[in-house]
Amino acid sequence: MGELPLDINIQEPRWDQSTFLGRARHFFAVTDPRNLLLSGAQLEASQNIVQNYRAGVVTPGLTEDQLWQAKYVYDSAFHPDTGEKVILIGRMSAQVPMNMTITGCMLTFYRKTPTVVFWQWVNQSFNAIVNYSNRSGDAPISVRQLGTAYMSATTGAVATALGLKSLTKHLPTLVGRFVPFAAVAAANCINIPLMRQRELQVGIPVTDEAGQRLGHSVTAAKQGIFQVGLVGFCLVFATPLCCALFPQRSSIHVSRLEPELRAQIHEQNPSIEVVYYNKGL
């Protein structure tokens, strides 16, 4: 088998980005939580493979699949513009486990004010790290700007959560469970533009099709932030919609239960054929 050719364009995703399926496959690879388990040595090895290939040097014995794997591992851990290694929880591969944990806690601990405040603070701290870590461009952001964005978003989220909690305390419990999502939506309207305000001031790099930088554009930054905000808005509703796929009070036929429990139920009431349970989140 000959040496891998140098004409594979790893500047672009592996799959066709003009189709939804191609974009979906790309983001499944980017957000793969297994990348969080990779060691520093493995990340550096992938970085070396990618950087060497871009410089025209092919690692001996490297296959095309291994090259793409290294590219996605590299992309999952390093900022595309600055080349800096992104903090672990700020990586896209941390989105699923972190959001599952935080969302589950916000849905569970929504009754008491201290826990509402705490989990909204945790969520906005996480969002601030993600928005900063995945910002577009390489323009630096001052500590003051970061602090302003963080405090504004956290305050907005907590205020919204407490306000809605007060308004919905006499409504059914199910309504109260949706309060955290309204608070997150309000906070994201603050968090995203403030955390990425530097892009709105100086613009983000624009390139030609080959990746050659041509300049900076504020208009492109506005469009990008709007699109990120729209995705974030959709994500706010993704969790409750997924939770709603199955009823909270689900049922199971007695015949599918454990033999011991089945016998116990038949002894108590032989006519019962279906039992019910709370499925949880």
Side-chain angles (χ1 to χ4, degrees), residues 133-166:
S133 300
N134 295 280
R135 68 196 184 281
S136 179
D138 50 13
I141 301 177
S142 69
V143 175
R144 182 176 180 179
Q145 289 172 321
L146 286 174
T148 300
Y150 173 67
M151 291 302 297
S152 299
T154 303
T155 302
V158 171
T160 304
L162 294 181
L164 291 176
K165 180 176 180 293
S166 176

Side-chain angles (χ1 to χ4, degrees), residues 28-164:
F28 271 120
V30 169
T31 60
D32 188 345
R34 293 175 297 179
N35 289 336
L36 295 174
L37 304 177
L38 299 175
S39 66
Q42 289 173 302
L43 295 178
E44 290 174 10
S46 294
Q47 182 184 36
N48 290 335
I49 289 173
V50 170
Q51 292 181 339
N52 286 342
Y53 187 84
R54 287 174 178 170
V57 179
V58 178
T59 303
L62 185 69
T63 66
E64 183 173 351
D65 284 339
Q66 290 172 335
L67 174 63
W68 283 112
Q69 176 64 24
K71 177 251 191 321
Y72 275 103
V73 168
Y74 173 75
D75 287 351
S76 75
F78 296 88
H79 192 279
D81 294 321
T82 66
E84 298 173 350
K85 184 183 288 187
V86 176
I87 185 173
L88 189 69
I89 64 172
R91 299 173 190 172
M92 291 303 293
S93 48
Q95 285 289 297
V96 172
M98 289 298 296
N99 275 319
M100 283 182 63
T101 301
I102 295 173
T103 300
C105 289
M106 286 196 298
L107 283 169
T108 303
F109 306 109
Y110 68 96
R111 296 180 182 274
K112 296 182 179 180
T113 298
T115 55
V116 169
V117 172
F118 175 75
W119 286 109
Q120 287 294 335
W121 168 73
V122 170
N123 185 57
Q124 288 311 312
S125 298
F126 172 64
N127 285 343
I129 292 172
V130 171
N131 289 334
Y132 174 75
S133 300
N134 295 280
R135 68 196 184 281
S136 179
D138 50 13
I141 301 177
S142 69
V143 175
R144 182 176 180 179
Q145 289 172 321
L146 286 174
T148 300
Y150 173 67
M151 291 302 297
S152 299
T154 303
T155 302
V158 171
T160 304
L162 294 181
L164 291 176

Side-chain angles (χ1 to χ4, degrees), residues 134-278:
N134 295 280
R135 68 196 184 281
S136 179
D138 50 13
I141 301 177
S142 69
V143 175
R144 182 176 180 179
Q145 289 172 321
L146 286 174
T148 300
Y150 173 67
M151 291 302 297
S152 299
T154 303
T155 302
V158 171
T160 304
L162 294 181
L164 291 176
K165 180 176 180 293
S166 176
L167 292 173
T168 60
K169 62 183 178 182
H170 300 301
L171 297 177
T173 303
L174 183 62
V175 177
R177 284 186 178 272
F178 286 90
V179 167
F181 297 104
V184 170
N188 281 344
C189 293
I190 303 170
N191 194 320
I192 293 174
L194 284 178
M195 192 59 66
R196 299 180 63 174
Q197 60 184 297
R198 182 68 176 170
E199 299 171 34
L200 297 173
Q201 295 170 351
V202 302
I204 58 176
V206 293
T207 68
D208 59 18
E209 192 173 359
Q212 185 68 34
R213 185 175 296 195
L214 304 173
H216 289 73
S217 170
V218 172
T219 301
K222 291 178 180 178
Q223 179 172 312
I225 290 174
F226 171 77
Q227 292 169 339
V228 170
L230 185 61
V231 170
F233 181 77
C234 293
L235 289 175
V236 167
F237 294 96
T239 298
L241 289 175
C242 288
C243 289
L245 286 174
F246 303 100
Q248 186 71 27
R249 190 167 182 259
S250 297
S251 63
I252 184 172
H253 202 279
V254 171
S255 62
R256 297 181 58 192
L257 296 174
E258 297 86 341
E260 299 82 3
L261 179 57
R262 189 165 61 236
Q264 181 180 327
I265 292 173
H266 284 165
E267 183 179 342
Q268 295 178 18
N269 191 338
S271 65
I272 294 179
E273 295 184 355
V274 177
V275 292
Y276 301 87
Y277 61 94
N278 179 10

